[in-house]
Amino acid sequence: MARDLLRARDGGHARVGFVELFFDLVFVFAITQVSHTLLEHLTWLGALQAAMLLGALWWAWIDTSWITNWLDPERPQVRILLFFLMGAGLVMSTSLPRAFDDRGLAFACAFVAIQVGRGLFALWAVRRDEKLRRNFQRICVWSIVGGVLWIAGGLAEGQTRVVIWLAAVLGEFAAPLCYFWVPGLGRSRTTDWEVEGGHIAERVGLFIIICLGESILVTGATFAGLVWTPDVVLAASTAFVGSVAMWWIYFSHAHDAASEVIEHAKDPGRVARRAFTYGPVLAVAGIVVSAVGDELSLSHPEGPVAVTAALVLIGGPLLFMLGALIFKLAAFGVWSRSRLVGVGLLLALIPALPFLTPLTLAMATTTVLVFVAAWETLVPQAGRTA
C-alpha cells in the first residue's frame, strides 16, 4: 500500500495535479500578508522580520512541492496530507501579521505542524524504499530540531524571538546544503533523489505566478480606492507593466530549458536543489518588495523620494533581477549578460534619486525590467535551446 503512494516514473512529464493547485491557494493569501506586513513596518527591523516570515513560507511550500515530486498527489492518502497542510498553512497565514506580537506561538506551531507532519507522513509512505527512507529519517530529525527552535521563539518575546527565529530560518536554508547530515545516520545523496524536472519547474513557476498575482492584486486594490488623477493612472500602468516584465523575464526560454537540464543531468537532484530550491528565493522576495513599492508610488506619486521608498522601489526590482541572474547561473552555469546589465542599470539609478519622484523612479525601474525582457527576447541567450 505505501509503495503505491510513490509517483510512477515512466519518463514522461508528471503534470501538476488539481489538488496541488488547490494547495497553492493558501499561499496567495500568505504572500499578501507578507507584503502588507512589510508595508506597515518599513524599517530595518521590519524588513528583517518580513524576510524571516517569507523564508518560512517558502520552505513550507517548496518542501511540500518536493514531496509531491516523490509521492502521487492523486492518491487519497496524499490528498489528505495536502488538506492537512492547507489547514495548518491557513493558521500560519492568518497569524503572520502578528507573528512578532501576540500570535507568535500560533504561527510557530502551525509551521512546525507542516514541516514535521509532512516529514513523518513521507517517512511512512516510503518506508519500503531503502534510499528514500534513510533520506526522510534525516529530514525528520532536522525538522524536529528546527521545530524546537520555532516553538521556543514563539514562547519568547521581543528581540529574543527575533534571534531564535532567525536561527530557525537559517537552519531551514542550511539543511539541504548540509545534505541533512545527522550523526549516526550520515548524509543524504542528491544522486538518490529521483526528480522529475518538468514537475518541479512547473511547481516553482506557479509560485512565481502567485507572487506576481499578489502584486497585481495590490495594485488593483490600491488603484480602486484612489482618485484617478493622471499621475495615479500612470503609476498604476507602470506597476502593471513592471509585473508583466518580471513575468517575461522569469518565464523566458531559460525556465523551460532548465527543466530539460534537470532531466538530462547526471545528478538531477543537485541541479534541482540549486536551480529551483535556492535559485528563486531572491526573485520571490523581489516581487514581494516590488508590490510594496507599487503601493507607495500609487499612494504618493509626487514629491521627493523618501529613503524608505527609494530602498523599496529600487530594492524590489534589484532583488528580482539578482534572483533571475542566480537562477540562470545555477541552471546553466553561465552569467547572463542581460541580467547583469539590468542589475547595473538599477544600481545606476541611486545617484539620480535627488532628481526623481516616486513615480518617475518607478517608471525608471520598470523601464530597466522591460529593457532586459526585450533583450532576452530578441538576442540569443544561454538556455534558449536545450
Side-chain angles (χ1 to χ4, degrees), residues 65-258:
S65 295
W66 273 90
I67 291 296
T68 55
N69 191 76
W70 282 312
L71 304 182
D72 187 353
E74 299 304 315
R75 300 296 181 181
Q77 300 95 321
V78 180
R79 286 186 171 184
I80 291 172
L81 168 70
L82 290 176
F83 296 150
F84 165 78
L85 298 179
M86 285 181 69
L90 187 59
V91 174
M92 185 173 68
S93 301
T94 52
S95 304
L96 192 149
R98 292 157 61 180
F100 288 94
D101 193 3
D102 60 339
R103 291 187 182 171
L105 185 59
F107 179 88
C109 288
F111 179 77
V112 172
I114 291 172
Q115 297 297 88
V116 176
R118 183 187 53 235
L120 292 175
F121 177 90
L123 179 59
W124 168 78
V126 303
R127 64 186 183 275
R128 296 176 187 172
D129 187 300
E130 176 66 24
K131 292 180 180 178
L132 287 179
R133 185 179 74 248
R134 300 287 286 180
N135 182 49
F136 280 104
Q137 285 174 344
R138 302 180 188 103
I139 289 174
C140 286
V141 171
W142 275 83
S143 297
I144 291 170
V145 172
V148 171
L149 286 175
W150 282 104
I151 292 176
L155 292 170
E157 296 181 355
Q159 299 304 312
T160 303
R161 178 178 297 175
V162 174
V163 172
I164 295 175
W165 277 4
L166 180 59
V169 170
L170 293 176
E172 300 290 338
F173 278 89
L177 290 175
C178 296
Y179 299 91
F180 301 102
W181 179 82
V182 175
L185 293 176
R187 72 171 199 168
S188 298
R189 300 178 185 274
T190 51
T191 51
D192 295 338
W193 298 350
E194 295 182 9
V195 180
E196 206 290 297
H199 178 266
I200 199 72
E202 188 175 354
R203 294 298 291 126
V204 172
L206 288 170
F207 194 84
I208 295 292
I209 288 178
I210 286 173
C211 296
L212 288 171
E214 188 276 336
S215 179
I216 292 174
L217 286 174
V218 168
T219 299
T222 305
F223 183 53
L226 296 172
V227 177
W228 290 4
T229 64
D231 284 344
V232 169
V233 172
L234 185 55
S237 301
T238 300
F240 176 72
V241 172
S243 295
V244 171
M246 287 183 181
W247 180 92
W248 204 289
I249 292 168
Y250 190 84
F251 291 98
S252 64
H253 302 276
H255 182 266
D256 290 335

Side-chain angles (χ1 to χ4, degrees), residues 21 25 42 53 56 98 169 171 190 295 310:
L21 299 175
L25 292 178
L42 272 180
L53 296 173
R98 292 157 61 180
V169 170
T190 51
E295 187 157 348

Side-chain angles (χ1 to χ4, degrees), residues 40 48 112 120 130 142 173-174 182 271 284 292 313 332 339-340 346 382:
E40 293 173 4
L48 175 62
V112 172
L120 292 175
E130 176 66 24
W142 275 83
F173 278 89
V182 175
V271 178
V284 168
V292 176
L313 286 165
F332 305 104
R339 298 177 187 190
L340 276 171
L346 289 169

Side-chain angles (χ1 to χ4, degrees), residues 284-352:
V284 168
I287 295 171
V288 172
V289 175
S290 294
V292 176
D294 292 341
E295 187 157 348
L296 289 176
S297 65
L298 272 163
S299 302
H300 307 285
E302 294 300 319
V305 182
V307 174
T308 53
L311 289 172
V312 169
L313 286 165
I314 294 179
L318 182 61
L319 284 171
F320 174 82
M321 196 66 69
L322 287 170
L325 177 68
I326 291 172
F327 163 74
K328 209 161 187 178
L329 177 64
F332 305 104
V334 297
W335 290 97
S336 169
R337 287 178 296 171
S338 57
R339 298 177 187 190
L340 276 171
V341 170
V343 169
L345 290 174
L346 289 169
L347 291 174
L349 292 173
I350 295 175

